[in-house]
Amino acid sequence: MRNKTVQLLIVESPAKAKKISSFLSGREYLVKASLGHVRDLPEREMGIDLKVLQNGSKKLPLKFVIISERKRVVKEIMELSRGAIVYCASDPDREGEAIAWHVSELIKSRAKEVFRIEFNEVSKKAVLEALKNPRKIDENRVKAQFCRRAIDRLVGYIVSPELQKALGRKGLSAGRVQSTVL
C-alpha cells in the first residue's frame, strides 16, 4: 500500500482553519493555524546588525527568534510538515507574506515542497482556486515588511529613550508614524 503525501495548509487564524477544513473534507489536507506571526525580532535587544546595514551587505541584518507564545504551534507545524507539501495561506498582504516566509524558513528542510497561496475571501471556491495556483513567496513583499519592522524597532530603540529623557517621563515610546508626523 502506498502512502499519500500529506498536504498541509497553514492559515493565520483558528476560525479560518476550521472553516477551510470543512471545505476540504474528503480531500487529503490538514489545515493548521499559525496564530499570526511565528517569529519576530528579540524582545530585549535591538535585533538589527547596524554594521551589516552600514556596509551595504546582502546579508540579512535582522535577527529573528520564535515568539515565545508560538513555540507550541511552531513545533506542531514542524512535525506536520515532515515530508508534506505545504501551502502557506496567510493573509494577502506584506505581513502575510512575511508570515509565509518565516514558516517556510522553519520548515523548508522538512517539507517536500512549500508554496504560497492567496485568497481574498474564505469561500470554498476561492480556496480551491488558490490551491490550483500556488506560487513562490514574493521576496519583495517580505523585504517591505522587514523594512517596516526594522524602522519600527530603530525608532523605538533610538528615539524612545531620548524622548523619555527630554520629557523626564519613563514609559513613553516613539513610533515611526506618529513621531515623524509630530
Side-chain angles (χ1 to χ4, degrees), residues 8 10-12 32-40 64-82 86 98-111:
L8 175 62
I10 300 171
V11 296
E12 289 183 50
K32 182 72 183 160
S34 71
L35 306 176
H37 285 276
V38 294
R39 294 197 311 182
D40 196 8
F64 292 111
V65 296
I66 295 172
I67 298 168
S68 59
E69 296 84 13
R70 301 291 186 275
K71 286 182 179 177
R72 194 183 108 257
V73 77
V74 165
K75 183 179 178 189
E76 290 173 11
I77 288 170
M78 290 178 76
E79 288 171 8
L80 292 171
S81 68
R82 191 178 309 278
V86 180
I99 291 168
W101 183 87
H102 283 290
V103 168
S104 175
E105 286 295 301
L106 291 168
I107 66 170
K108 67 183 178 186
S109 66
R110 297 169 175 260

Side-chain angles (χ1 to χ4, degrees), residues 129-147:
E129 189 61 32
L131 286 166
K132 289 179 192 173
N133 297 294
R135 64 171 174 80
K136 292 182 178 183
I137 291 171
D138 183 337
E139 296 288 331
N140 288 327
R141 273 189 184 172
V142 173
K143 288 174 185 174
Q145 193 276 341
F146 287 178
C147 287

Side-chain angles (χ1 to χ4, degrees), residues 21 38 42 52 55 71 81 91 108 112 146 155 169 171 174 181:
S21 289
V38 294
V52 170
N55 294 336
K71 286 182 179 177
S81 68
D91 291 351
K108 67 183 178 186
K112 186 174 182 177
F146 287 178
V155 169
R169 291 180 51 206
V181 170

Side-chain angles (χ1 to χ4, degrees), residues 4 8 11 23 33 43 52 62 70 75 83 87 102 115 122 126 130 145 160-161 177:
K4 287 195 173 199
L8 175 62
V11 296
F23 301 154
E43 285 185 35
V52 170
L62 306 178
R70 301 291 186 275
K75 183 179 178 189
Y87 299 93
H102 283 290
F115 297 103
V122 184
Q145 193 276 341
S160 293
V177 176

